[in-house]
Amino acid sequence: NGWSTEQELLFLEKEGLSYNPDLVVLAYYVGNDQIDNAARNLFTYKDGKLEINRNRPISQSRMRSAYYFISSYSHFFNALMFTYWRIRALFGRQSGTDYDDAFAKYLLKDEPEEVRTTWRKTIALLEKMHQALKERDIPLVLLIIPDRLQEQSAYREKLGLEEKNLALDNPQMRIHDFADTNNIPVIDLLPAFKDAEEQYHYAKDFHWNPAGHERAANSAAGLISSFIKQT
């Protein structure tokens, strides 16, 4: 739950490489992956150097593990939690990150310094992942998942974002630049979702509904299979 590039890199190094994969596809969600890379702080990035943060616990607490266990088996528990968070929202007591507000900064033509700083760390994480795979002759493919703010003009209008100040493909261009430099194939799903008439997200949040998953699978499957080494 809630993984970003940091956790994905750690998992790849600790377990993923043991499977000796023919191909690694990194699904990168521009809506919050780079934001979480900065907030979770499992790695530090300073003076161009990426290091694991020894002061940051990686494992979940027992209470959090229990929460996920119960939520996996009890619809009643999930209904109670949903009601709890709805009540908090009614009284203006939101918890965690407002990703719409946080991600909007990444679409500005004039990027704030905090955005540039976060991207530097994220690119360093992608580079470390790429190098770990390259040493083992395992190809990497970057699958870029867009955010609904990029897809829906009506949603941007609802949040009061002015189109003249936005460069909607800023995040994708960051990843494309890195990929081009390192000769990494990219599957960019933004064209498949942008300005589509069908609803591809759940109404309550930014996750794909079944139609969204089907759209992504149909757009990516053929390209991904073409990258797999023929043996």
Side-chain angles (χ1 to χ4, degrees):
N1 178 279
W3 275 26
S4 63
T5 322
E6 291 188 316
Q7 287 100 331
E8 289 159 351
L9 173 58
L10 290 169
F11 179 83
L12 177 71
E13 293 178 334
K14 185 175 181 179
E15 183 166 350
L17 291 173
S18 67
Y19 298 112
N20 191 28
D22 296 308
L23 176 75
V24 170
V25 180
L26 176 67
Y28 188 95
Y29 174 49
V30 298
N32 67 18
D33 277 359
Q34 66 279 358
I35 297 169
D36 286 346
N37 290 336
R40 307 283 167 78
N41 204 28
L42 299 180
F43 287 84
T44 60
Y45 183 71
K46 188 176 181 181
D47 300 326
K49 191 173 183 181
L50 185 71
E51 293 182 340
I52 193 164
N53 186 356
R54 301 296 177 184
N55 298 318
R56 175 72 165 85
I58 295 174
S59 61
Q60 294 178 167
S61 67
R62 290 182 179 179
M63 183 175 294
R64 193 169 183 84
S65 296
Y67 173 92
Y68 287 131
F69 177 81
I70 297 171
S71 69
S72 297
Y73 291 95
S74 173
H75 289 302
F76 178 69
F77 176 79
N78 289 325
L80 285 177
M81 294 307 301
F82 179 76
T83 303
Y84 168 72
W85 290 115
R86 286 294 298 271
I87 292 173
R88 283 179 64 96
L90 288 174
F91 287 93
R93 299 184 62 187
Q94 293 284 5
S95 178
T97 303
D98 182 338
Y99 283 109
D100 282 334
D101 183 57
F103 180 58
K105 299 175 184 177
Y106 288 81
L107 302 180
L108 295 174
K109 290 180 180 178
D110 186 14
E111 292 178 324
E113 178 58 30
E114 65 180 284
V115 167
R116 293 192 288 270
T117 298
T118 301
W119 275 121
R120 284 191 285 269
K121 179 181 180 181
T122 293
I123 295 302
L125 290 164
L126 293 175
E127 174 64 26
K128 186 173 177 63
M129 184 179 293
H130 174 55
Q131 288 302 320
L133 293 169
K134 188 176 180 180
E135 290 170 4
R136 295 163 177 80
D137 196 29
I138 301 170
L140 171 67
V141 174
L142 296 176
L143 175 69
I144 310 178
I145 300 173
D147 183 80
R148 60 181 174 174
L149 271 178
Q150 297 175 300
E151 301 167 18
Q152 304 168 9
S153 58
Y155 192 68
R156 294 193 295 274
E157 184 178 345
K158 176 183 175 182
L159 295 180
L161 298 176
E162 302 220 2
E163 300 285 337
K164 65 180 181 181
N165 297 327
L166 304 178
L168 295 177
D169 61 351
N170 263 352
Q172 279 79 359
M173 290 301 99
R174 289 278 192 176
I175 298 173
H176 275 288
D177 287 345
F178 163 75
D180 291 345
T181 300
N182 293 278
N183 197 30
I184 300 172
V186 173
I187 300 174
D188 189 347
L189 294 180
L190 181 57
F193 282 84
K194 192 174 182 180
D195 298 324
E197 293 183 3
E198 188 170 356
Q199 179 57 254
Y200 290 119
H201 300 268
Y202 287 108
K204 70 173 184 176
D205 64 19
F206 49 77
H207 290 94
W208 282 332
N209 59 21
H213 281 281
E214 183 177 10
R215 179 77 168 177
N218 289 338
S219 300
L223 288 168
I224 289 175
S225 63
S226 71
F227 295 133
I228 299 176
K229 290 181 179 179
Q230 301 298 316
T231 58

